Amino acid sequence: VRVSNELGSGNPQAASLAVRVVLSMALIEGVILVSAMILLRNVWGHVYSNDKEVIRYVSFMMPVLALSSFLDGIQGTLSGIPR
């Protein structure tokens, strides 16, 4: 919304700044989330079960989920810009 408002009012530099800020925020949030998910991947399994096999599978899948979450945040940001 901010980008379209700035473009509508004839401020392309402000729109560009808004895009850079939101992309920076998405990247920082994504890096923090991915780091937490990967560093705590052996702990997440204990939330669901005490079974060693479940804990191992959750630990194995956590990097894939972290990458998916990171890319989803970036995609949501980038798809909101062209609107």
Side-chain angles (χ1 to χ4, degrees), residues 15-78:
S16 176
L17 176 63
V19 168
R20 285 194 303 262
V21 168
V22 76
L23 281 176
S24 298
M25 289 174 59
L27 287 172
I28 290 169
E29 183 266 338
V31 167
I32 291 170
L33 183 65
V34 166
S35 298
M37 289 177 81
I38 290 177
L39 290 174
L40 298 173
R41 70 178 179 259
N42 295 322
V43 177
W44 284 107
H46 293 285
V47 173
Y48 302 107
S49 174
N50 288 328
D51 185 17
K52 298 287 184 193
E53 191 172 347
V54 171
I55 295 169
R56 191 181 57 156
Y57 285 143
V58 170
S59 176
F60 179 74
M61 290 302 298
M62 200 51 66
V64 175
L65 292 173
L67 179 63
S68 174
S69 177
F70 179 76
L71 293 176
D72 183 52
I74 299 299
Q75 186 271 335
T77 302
L78 292 176

